[in-house]
Amino acid sequence: MCSAYSYMPVYVPIVVQSQVGPYFDYKADMLTGRIKFFDSAQNYGFFTLDCDGSDLFVHYEDFLKAGISKDGIQMAKAMNMRFAFKKFSYYGKYDLSTKAVEIQPAQEVYSIQ
């Protein structure tokens, strides 16, 4: 389990329904990682988490919400750029799944105190 850092406290309720219904669980802490793989044709990829080296699924739609294009993703991968994001758990087609949401460049989450 990653020990994530938090740049601001966030309280998000957990909504749980039956096994076939939606399950939403936002982790309040921001995680950091780098793009391991991204398939532009299939619109998905994976982050490698900095804390433990595990992989986390990411969809192109979540990059778009952050204003990052496919060219930007490829450039960030080539530059080995770090991103900050939240981990989102949900029931996928067959099982409980997780993905990265609320993606942003990691520099934006650091604060000077």
Side-chain angles (χ1 to χ4, degrees):
M1 180 74 183
C2 295
S3 60
Y5 67 92
S6 177
Y7 69 100
M8 68 179 355
V10 178
Y11 301 100
V12 179
I14 297 172
V15 177
V16 181
Q17 290 183 357
S18 68
Q19 193 77 346
V20 294
Y23 172 84
F24 303 106
D25 181 12
Y26 274 107
K27 299 300 181 193
D29 295 328
M30 298 294 282
L31 299 170
T32 58
R34 300 171 195 277
I35 300 171
K36 175 181 182 178
F37 164 81
F38 187 78
D39 186 335
S40 296
Q42 297 292 322
N43 293 332
Y44 77 93
F46 293 92
F47 281 119
T48 299
L49 299 180
D50 290 337
C51 58
D52 64 2
S54 63
D55 294 340
L56 183 63
F57 177 81
V58 62
H59 194 270
Y60 177 56
E61 170 185 297
D62 296 302
F63 278 112
L64 275 181
K65 289 178 185 175
I68 303 169
S69 67
K70 289 184 181 180
D71 291 335
I73 295 168
Q74 296 302 330
M75 186 170 36
K77 184 178 183 308
M79 293 172 43
N80 204 25
M81 185 175 175
R82 180 178 289 142
F83 288 90
F85 43 83
K86 292 184 181 179
K87 188 175 182 179
F88 178 68
S89 299
Y90 63 99
Y91 280 109
K93 188 172 182 179
Y94 300 108
D95 204 359
L96 183 65
S97 301
T98 56
K99 72 174 189 170
V101 296
E102 298 184 32
I103 301 166
Q104 56 187 295
Q107 301 87 285
E108 294 180 14
V109 298
Y110 295 122
S111 63
I112 300 171
Q113 297 179 353

